[in-house]
Amino acid sequence: MATKFSICSVSNAYLLRRRRSGSTRTPATVSCSAAVATRQPRPSLARVWREIQGANDWRDLVAPLHPLLRAEIVRYGELVNTCYEAFDPDPTSGDYLDCKHDKTALSSDTGYEITKFIYAGPGRSRWMGYVAVSSDTETRRLGRRDVVVAFRGTVTASEWLANLMSSLRPARLDPVRPRPEVKVEEGFLSVYTSPAGPSRLSCREQLLRELARLVEIHRTEEMSVTLAGHSMGSSLAILAGYDLAEIGLNRGITSTVYSFAGPRVGNAGFKARCEELGVKVLRVVNVNDPVTKLPGVFLNENLRAWCNKHALPWSFSCYSHVGVELALDFFMMRDPACVHDLGVIISLLRSPEIAKKREDKREDLLEKAVKLLSANNLDKRGWLFK
């Protein structure tokens, strides 16, 4: 299921198409007006939080993007971005591969209290993120006690190597049945399940123990577990969301995954099992981001069936995205790497009108060429399209 909502597009191909049709509107103008121009009474988050967390698979909330959902996506994105800002990649630092701040300092002004830092392997232990629980004040605003798991994305060389491991392996996270048909990308599974150094448990074991502890503490309250991550961190969030559902730790608790610019995690069997278990995943992606096309550039959900009816022999070797897609569309000629940048995604979602104005101020080579042709009374249509 993929519902697309375009925030901003500055592609040259689009400009060419619009000029040929004589239109002057941009997709950002259309989409942003659809998303923010309608003024209607807004219900409080505490009343509709289940729908915002995906109880109905975000039906009628993505296109146009509901203001409350937009705000929650931004908020969880900022909690993930905190992981990047706090991670220390400097080999000369005393905090190398760890968090530069303590739990209290890192969670100040977020409305949450960090209860545990999460580390991951394989090999040398690396700080990947944290588990946090909402304060009493934030709980009243949200309408429930929210436990957040935030994962950063790829930074170190070993993490890039994990990203490049494109072979599928059975997940085997079901404690009762092995489910060999449920397969996930080997590198992501290794980061999730390998010991985080000789003296630490795996990322999975740390996470499940802490979540079980918090669920026990708050078992009499209305609760949610929200897992959020960017890039490789989104893969860990999806794996953890599946894991919680498979072992039943989230029974009676709303659990949701917010995936930012994430790659595919598993095969068609993994997707089917996630859907069977009711794992809720909202994938925020940029259609121009190559990372979201990986792994499985060729063998993916689009090649599983012939004429969308008949399964092909390699169906269960195909990677498949999980969940509902919120598709953004942005590209900056001067900074191609921005297509995968979490900060850019957050900025566009927070203020799409401002992002549009910034794009309007920037002229690419095509704009300059068209203006030059117009100034000299040349046939710009023949020059551009023959």
Side-chain angles (χ1 to χ4, degrees):
M1 183 176 183
T3 305
K4 295 188 177 183
F5 172 74
S6 176
I7 288 287
C8 186
S9 174
V10 291
S11 69
N12 289 349
Y14 178 81
L15 292 172
L16 287 169
R17 291 197 302 272
R18 300 305 283 182
R19 286 198 181 82
R20 296 188 74 174
S21 65
S23 173
T24 59
R25 293 190 303 172
T26 68
T29 303
V30 175
S31 298
C32 291
S33 63
V36 301
T38 302
R39 302 299 181 187
Q40 297 177 346
R42 183 184 302 182
S44 68
L45 179 59
R47 292 179 56 189
V48 297
W49 68 266
R50 290 179 182 82
E51 289 77 11
I52 297 298
Q53 291 292 97
N56 298 321
D57 293 316
W58 295 280
R59 187 173 62 250
D60 300 327
L61 296 177
V62 174
L65 187 57
H66 193 283
L68 284 178
L69 179 57
R70 179 194 295 275
E72 286 300 274
I73 294 171
V74 168
R75 189 172 67 85
Y76 286 118
E78 289 174 336
L79 291 174
V80 173
N81 211 34
T82 298
C83 298
Y84 281 112
E85 296 170 354
F87 181 69
D88 193 340
D90 182 4
T92 65
S93 170
D95 293 319
Y96 178 49
L97 300 182
D98 209 332
C99 181
K100 294 183 286 188
H101 311 294
D102 62 27
K103 297 183 182 70
T104 302
L106 190 60
S107 59
S108 63
D109 301 323
T110 65
Y112 288 79
E113 176 191 354
I114 294 178
T115 62
K116 187 172 184 60
F117 283 163
I118 300 296
Y119 295 82
R124 184 167 181 171
S125 175
R126 306 178 307 282
W127 182 70
M128 288 301 302
Y130 58 84
V131 180
V133 62
S134 58
S135 66
D136 291 343
T137 300
E138 186 72 352
T139 294
R140 285 190 292 272
R141 187 185 75 84
L142 297 175
R144 84 280 185 188
R145 184 75 65 178
D146 188 35
V147 176
V148 166
V149 180
F151 290 114
R152 66 169 176 82
T154 305
V155 176
T156 69
S158 60
E159 291 162 1
W160 280 110
L161 181 62
N163 287 346
L164 296 174
M165 297 173 67
S166 59
S167 58
L168 288 163
R169 277 181 50 193
R172 301 191 186 282
L173 300 180
D174 186 335
V176 178
R177 296 176 55 187
R179 299 188 184 278
E181 75 282 2
V182 177
K183 297 182 179 181
V184 296
E185 199 262 359
E186 183 176 8
F188 302 146
L189 185 64
S190 178
V191 172
Y192 185 60
T193 60
S194 296
S199 59
R200 281 198 173 104
L201 300 173
S202 69
C203 171
R204 182 194 186 210
E205 292 169 316
Q206 296 168 59
L207 181 62
L208 294 183
R209 287 189 180 191
E210 182 63 10
L211 290 179
R213 186 183 74 85
L214 293 174
V215 167
E216 177 62 24
I217 291 174
H218 300 288
R219 66 184 184 279
T220 60
E221 301 179 64
E222 190 84 68
M223 278 189 69
S224 64
V225 175
T226 307
L227 305 111
H230 174 251
S231 194
M232 183 186 71
S234 80
S235 302
L236 297 179
I238 291 174
L239 276 174
Y242 160 69
D243 200 4
L244 294 180
E246 193 69 272
I247 67 176
L249 186 55
N250 67 341
R251 189 170 292 113
I253 299 172
T254 299
S255 61
T256 307
V257 177
Y258 287 89
S259 163
F260 296 89
R264 295 183 180 93
V265 176
N267 69 340
F270 176 72
K271 177 183 180 180
R273 183 58 179 160
C274 284
E275 292 175 347
E276 181 182 349
L277 292 169
V279 179
K280 304 297 183 181
V281 179
L282 181 63
R283 296 188 302 106
V284 183
V285 305
N286 176 9
V287 297
N288 302 299
D289 182 0
V291 172
T292 63
K293 313 293 192 298
L294 301 172
V297 175
F298 301 108
L299 290 177
N300 56 55
E301 59 268 19
N302 298 317
L303 290 178
R304 286 188 56 231
W306 180 52
C307 298
N308 295 320
K309 295 180 180 180
H310 309 290
L312 296 171
W314 54 77
S315 293
F316 276 84
S317 296
C318 291
Y319 284 90
S320 294
H321 274 305
V322 176
V324 175
E325 180 181 281
L326 170 61
L328 314 181
D329 187 355
F330 62 90
F331 181 79
M332 300 178 187
M333 293 294 292
R334 296 180 183 179
D335 183 17
C338 78
V339 298
H340 189 63
D341 189 274
L342 178 58
V344 174
I345 293 173
I346 293 172
S347 296
L348 285 172
L349 285 168
R350 184 188 291 116
S351 303
E353 313 96 323
I354 294 175
K356 173 62 174 60
K357 291 177 182 177
R358 289 175 179 170
E359 293 298 340
D360 285 344
K361 292 179 181 178
R362 184 167 51 249
E363 292 183 340
D364 62 15
L365 293 176
L366 179 61
E367 289 285 351
K368 294 179 180 178
V370 170
K371 287 190 175 184
L372 178 62
L373 292 169
S374 299
N376 290 278
N377 296 318
L378 297 177
D379 183 3
K380 53 182 177 290
R381 286 185 60 85
W383 184 77
L384 284 171
F385 305 115
K386 282 184 178 178

